[in-house]
Amino acid sequence: INLGRQSLRLRLSAWGYRLTTLVHPTAYVSPMASLGAGTFIGPMSVVEPGAEIEKNVAVWSSAMLGHDVKTGTESRIASAGALGGYSSVGLRSFLGLGVTVSNDVNVGERVFVGANSLVTKNCPSDSVLLSNSARQVRLNSKDYDEYLNRDDRN
């Protein structure tokens, strides 16, 4: 199964249901990339060689994941997002519409990056990045976990 609501998907997975990996026919995934169970790759997206996409990751339309990128379990890359080569995104992180992560930059766990942000420096876990220069604002991880598990989000 592969459902939009993350909290439901996690519950079903815990109950033993098998997660499927879905790749849109217009997306390109290199044969040298690896995709975990429950991953969704949206229309017109590109996953380059050496990329390692963990389980239950959503890569929405027109996103580009460069060579040797690593994404953590349950992370989300929104439409038109771009991750440069050798960059990484941690567990349960969310990159908004049009976010760009430069080459060799590490985004920590449970990080929220707002739309159209440019991330040029490593950022720690449990933080929020906003604006073109990706200004950092701390966020308590408990609040972020509650945000991720809200039932009104997909």
Side-chain angles (χ1 to χ4, degrees), residues 55-118:
K55 70 178 189 170
N56 206 14
V57 172
V59 178
W60 296 108
S61 59
S62 301
M64 203 289 290
L65 280 63
H67 63 88
D68 302 294
V69 163
K70 294 183 186 341
T71 64
T73 300
E74 300 167 23
S75 58
R76 301 282 179 265
I77 293 101
S79 297
L83 278 71
Y86 298 106
S87 60
S88 66
V89 176
L91 170 84
R92 299 189 88 185
S93 290
F94 176 82
L95 278 60
L97 294 169
V99 167
T100 300
V101 178
S102 294
N103 292 335
D104 204 25
V105 171
N106 299 313
V107 175
E109 296 181 353
R110 296 171 307 279
V111 172
F112 180 92
V113 183
N116 293 317
S117 295
L118 172 62

Side-chain angles (χ1 to χ4, degrees), residues 7-42:
S7 59
L8 179 57
R9 187 172 37 248
L10 294 174
R11 276 185 269 157
L12 290 172
S13 178
W15 293 338
Y17 287 90
R18 187 170 161 243
L19 299 171
T20 60
T21 297
L22 300 175
V23 178
H24 192 274
T26 62
Y28 172 74
V29 177
S30 168
M32 296 187 302
S34 66
L35 302 179
T39 295
F40 170 76
I41 307 293

